DNA sequence: TTGCGAACTGAACATTTGTTCAGTATCTTT
DNA sequence: AAAGATACTGAACAAATGTTCAGTTCGCAA
């Protein structure tokens, strides 16, 4: 034993997980209620609260079908903070989090783009690196973006200067690109949310 | 060719599939619209209709998040080579490969380590970056390694010089570390097979 | 027998979300 | 030059769905 969760709560968790797997989306509160003979959505909510407290369910408040079972196994790579001498590298104490490309903290990317040239060397983005891009045509000042200038895609830092947009390289060997905001030559594809490189 | 579905429609399908995989439930019409710059839910509906006609999407009418992809798509992120103007970003022609952290081309990493300090700045590894490490105590000359020197873990370039091992920073502000190969102070944890950084 | 917590009921209510409809701008085709 | 097709916009609407609140029932402990 040791687990203070009722059999009914378990059955509900199982139902949610199975529904999600079978048809691609979790059930609604009312669907759960119908299945278990609970007539009030609040009765179902009572169980969802319980499951969430146990960490068995993740919840997105307000969203339809927002009760989502936590995956049993953690995906991605273990992130270590500072490695301590002594105990083995992958021991629990050393694990700071998990790295999963499709679930970043700050915003999950839509695609990766291979970078050509050294114009962003100063920002640690080298020739051949891949930038992870979140599609978003409205970057904020100072963010690194992927832009299409005419026929060329380019990675630069984005600044708005009145009517104009400045695409600023981070390498003194290169000059900034300045265009009017409404230019048909300019298309902002998205912003860079991550950088990735394979070495060796 | 052969398939009469627009590149944008494909990109939307990809987004739906990925959203479903990542958070357990498909996106709403408005979420799709926001992502693709389509302001009217009916504009999104137009694409969903199209995808359903092609049999790529199953639909549960009236249900929230009712558009569910029929077939799972490839895991990982699409890697684009050079983006061509004209058709939208995620069209098949532009996809060069797929990026999956747990299946790299050159050797899959065992863990990720957060880097402290700027000693490898010249190699494009900045403070706060994560290096992806393959556990391997026998690096080749010139490879970047993670080493434990006494109690400190450090990321440096590895060189063998006769009896000695040189751990070389890539920043002129730092000095190389030289130790004898058999020193109990030195432990090579593995080699860096990738670098990863979240921006913004 | 009273009190208390677990497990709900019932009924609003507020949002979220899908649906429908009437248009429009931009193409390409006729 | 007119007719369609494509790819939407905008607005209104209704249905689906999560949230909240005030109670209720029942078993069990004090």
């Amino acid at each position: 034993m040791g687990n203070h969760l009722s059999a009914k709560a378990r059955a509900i968790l199982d139902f949610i997980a199975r529904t999600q797997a079978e048809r691609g989306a979790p059930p609604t509160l009312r669907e759960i209620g119908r299945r278990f003979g609970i007539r009030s959505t609040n009765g179902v909510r009572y169980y969802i609260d319980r499951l969430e407290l146990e960490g068995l369910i993740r919840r997105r408040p307000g969203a339809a079908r927002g009760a989502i079972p936590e995956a049993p196994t953690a995906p991605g790579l273990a992130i270590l903070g500072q490695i301590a001498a002594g105990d083995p590298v992958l021991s629990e104490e050393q694990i700071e989090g998990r790295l999963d490309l499709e679930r970043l903290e700050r915003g999950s990317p839509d695609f990766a783009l291979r970078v050509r040239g050294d114009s962003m060397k100063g920002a640690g983005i080298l020739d051949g690196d891949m930038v992870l891009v979140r599609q978003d045509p409205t970057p904020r000042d100072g963010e690194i973006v992927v832009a299409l200038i005419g026929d060329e895609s380019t990675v630069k830092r984005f600044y708005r200067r009145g009517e104009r947009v400045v695409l600023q390289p981070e390498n003194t060997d290169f000059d900034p690109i300045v265009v009017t905001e409404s230019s048909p030559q300019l298309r902002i594809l998205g912003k860079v949310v991550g950088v990735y490189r394979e070495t060796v």
Side-chain angles (χ1 to χ4, degrees), chain A residues 24-178:
Chain A
T28 65
L29 295 183
R30 273 162 255 254
E31 281 168 348
I32 298 168
R34 213 173 305 135
R35 185 60 158 271
F36 289 88
I38 301 171
R39 269 175 295 187
S40 169
T41 52
N42 195 35
V44 176
R45 200 183 157 72
Y46 171 85
Y47 283 105
I48 303 290
D49 283 347
R50 213 126 311 245
L51 289 169
E52 193 183 25
L53 282 170
E54 292 293 323
L56 298 170
I57 286 261
R58 187 175 12 116
R59 213 180 203 172
R60 291 176 300 121
R65 299 163 197 278
I68 290 156
E70 275 294 352
T73 56
L77 285 179
I79 301 173
L80 309 184
Q82 188 61 24
I83 296 178
D87 44 39
V89 195
L90 282 171
S91 59
E92 287 296 327
E93 304 81 52
Q94 313 221 21
I95 295 179
E96 184 185 291
R98 296 219 151 241
L99 173 59
D100 188 350
L101 279 199
E102 307 201 19
R103 236 188 233 187
L104 299 191
E105 306 243 325
R106 322 258 187 147
S108 53
D110 293 304
F111 60 86
L113 172 70
R114 196 174 296 276
V115 175
R116 295 280 155 231
D118 279 315
S119 70
M120 289 301 281
K121 196 172 176 181
I125 301 175
L126 311 181
D127 185 44
D129 285 4
M130 281 182 274
V131 287
L132 310 187
V133 184
R134 169 77 170 259
Q135 280 180 306
D136 180 352
T138 60
R140 277 178 291 181
D141 232 52
E143 287 184 335
I144 298 173
V145 300
V146 173
L148 218 54
I149 302 273
D151 233 343
E152 285 283 303
S153 62
T154 180
V155 178
K156 294 286 180 295
R157 216 173 267 283
F158 175 92
Y159 295 99
R160 209 183 295 276
R161 289 287 172 269
E163 297 285 273
R164 295 174 187 249
V165 162
V166 179
L167 299 176
Q168 181 78 44
E170 291 227 5
N171 183 337
T172 48
D173 297 345
F174 293 80
D175 292 320
I177 298 168
V178 183

